[in-house]
Amino acid sequence: MKTIQFREAVQQAMSEEMRKDESIYLMGEEVAEYNGAYKASKGMLDEFGPDRVIDTPIAELGFSGIGVGSAMNGNRPIIEFMTFNFSLVGIDQIINNAAKMRQMSGGQFNIPIVFRGPTASAGQLGATHSQAFESWYANCPGLKVIVPSNPYDAKGLLKAAIRDDDPVIFMESEQMYGDKGEVPEDEYVIEIGKADIKREGSDVTIVSFGKIIKEAYKAAEKLAEDDISCEIIDLRTIRPMDHEAIIESVKKTNRLVILEEAWPFGNISTEITYQVQSKAFDYLDAPIVKINTADTPAPYSPVLLKEWLPNSDDVIKAVKQVMYID
């Protein structure tokens, strides 16, 4: 095992796959000469050259469409958005072409493409740069959606995404690129669609994903001081979702809290709530509680932003609520 940064895990995954398959290439804004906006493609231009690590104009609709077209013609592109907020410019290509082409062509065209980049808030960047669109993309049949929370998961899942014959949305975080974690030096791949139990527990299940899961870890440590045992499930893959892992945990703990950095209406938490109440209702000893951002655009003010984002205190409050502790 070697300790590396999240950005290095992303770079290693892309580089290792590109060495094996010349049809794989990386395209996006500043991915080449600048080594990536967040240095997640550092050194790749030097190794693979400008034909396979391609800088683009600020034109997400254009280079997303080029990626989809090249995937239809036998390539396996990795399209980087500087942030998924900017993917909205190219969302027509993602939703109307990448996600639907396999079905609309009667299986004649696979679209082996990865759209990757950071999601959700990253500090004081304003409302238009602080949005989480996981639920938007997960709502669309034909897309797989992955949101890793650590370097180990990021590398293993990105390699799986690059090898997948269907379009994959791979969402990272600007605030995690510097995070460090142990990653095997030998090759490994993590299966898409499998959640991971990050912490075993018996009193309450907490489901989360992405960078916000760190708040669940903080809360669990604090609650353990009061002999409250939290089981934490990292979804890792949003679609397909590992419903079985969640259901089995709820059957054990009988309580569920969901932590998600997203607006409260029609999000991933809502879907999980429906799945659990329909498949494990009789096991619940308390109503499910979901924790989300405030139902407003993200504020710029640091004071308001702190109130807008979920935190470990919110998780502690929710856990005590489902356990009927004052």
Side-chain angles (χ1 to χ4, degrees):
M1 303 287 279
K2 186 177 180 180
T3 300
I4 63 173
Q5 291 184 330
F6 192 104
R7 59 169 58 89
E8 294 177 274
V10 171
Q11 188 271 348
Q12 286 184 11
M14 293 190 293
S15 296
E16 288 175 13
E17 294 304 304
M18 287 175 68
R19 291 180 194 124
K20 297 175 187 174
D21 187 343
E22 291 188 357
S23 71
I24 302 170
Y25 67 90
L26 172 65
M27 180 166 60
E29 296 155 1
E30 298 186 349
V31 299
E33 296 288 345
Y34 192 65
N35 286 311
Y38 312 105
K39 301 298 179 276
S41 54
K42 186 176 181 180
M44 292 180 65
L45 175 63
D46 292 338
E47 178 174 358
F48 300 105
D51 289 339
R52 297 183 66 198
V53 182
I54 305 166
D55 277 333
T56 69
I58 303 174
E60 287 81 6
L61 178 61
F63 63 76
S64 295
I66 290 170
V68 174
S70 70
M72 293 175 67
N73 283 278
N75 292 305
R76 307 184 76 88
I78 304 166
I79 305 300
E80 178 180 309
F81 296 119
M82 198 175 292
T83 157
F84 263 95
N85 294 279
F86 303 157
S87 76
L88 298 191
V89 182
I91 199 169
D92 176 58
Q93 290 293 339
I94 300 170
I95 299 297
N96 281 328
N97 290 325
K100 296 177 173 61
M101 193 58 66
R102 183 172 183 176
Q103 185 199 49
M104 291 176 66
S105 69
Q108 294 180 78
F109 291 103
N110 290 333
I111 310 293
I113 187 170
V114 176
F115 297 97
R116 52 158 292 269
T119 184
S121 65
Q124 289 179 264
L125 298 182
T128 58
H129 290 64
S130 305
Q131 302 167 110
F133 294 119
E134 292 90 321
S135 61
W136 285 35
Y137 287 114
N139 181 257
C140 181
L143 298 177
K144 297 176 181 177
V145 181
I146 298 171
V147 191
S149 66
N150 59 77
Y152 175 85
D153 289 349
K155 183 176 180 180
L157 285 165
L158 183 52
K159 288 171 74 73
I162 294 169
R163 297 180 188 185
D164 202 287
D165 286 332
D166 292 312
V168 179
I169 307 295
F170 193 90
M171 302 175 120
E172 303 154 13
S173 170
E174 291 160 74
Q175 293 184 322
M176 289 199 303
Y177 284 119
D179 288 1
K180 293 181 178 181
E182 289 190 338
V183 172
E185 296 191 60
D186 295 333
E187 181 173 83
Y188 70 100
V189 176
I190 297 174
E191 181 181 355
I192 295 173
K194 295 293 182 182
D196 189 33
I197 299 176
K198 299 297 189 186
R199 182 186 180 111
E200 298 271 355
S202 57
D203 292 327
V204 59
T205 298
I206 302 174
V207 175
S208 189
F209 59 89
K211 78 172 188 292
I212 202 69
I213 200 172
K214 297 177 187 179
E215 299 301 315
Y217 297 148
K218 293 177 189 175
E221 289 294 325
K222 185 83 172 178
L223 288 162
E225 297 174 6
D226 295 327
D227 294 323
I228 298 173
S229 175
C230 299
E231 180 147 295
I232 299 178
I233 296 178
D234 186 345
L235 284 180
R236 303 196 296 194
T237 301
I238 306 305
R239 182 163 183 160
M241 187 182 294
D242 192 350
H243 296 132
E244 182 179 352
I246 301 169
I247 297 300
E248 290 305 309
S249 180
V250 169
K251 286 182 177 179
K252 178 174 68 172
T253 67
N254 309 117
R255 296 171 176 87
L256 176 61
V257 170
I258 310 163
L259 172 63
E260 178 188 7
E261 184 183 343
W263 296 308
F265 187 90
N267 51 33
I268 305 302
S269 306
T270 306
E271 172 63 17
I272 295 170
T273 300
Y274 171 76
Q275 292 293 335
V276 172
Q277 69 84 24
S278 65
K279 298 175 182 176
F281 180 80
D282 290 338
Y283 289 89
L284 289 170
D285 287 343
I288 299 167
V289 174
K290 65 190 191 82
I291 307 167
N292 300 113
T293 66
D295 196 16
T296 69
Y300 179 79
S301 158
V303 176
L304 293 177
L305 184 63
K306 185 177 179 181
E307 291 298 315
W308 183 81
L309 270 172
N311 58 44
S312 59
D313 288 338
D314 296 324
V315 179
I316 291 170
K317 181 180 178 181
V319 167
K320 290 184 176 182
Q321 180 180 336
V322 298
M323 296 189 68
Y324 302 109
I325 298 173
D326 293 333

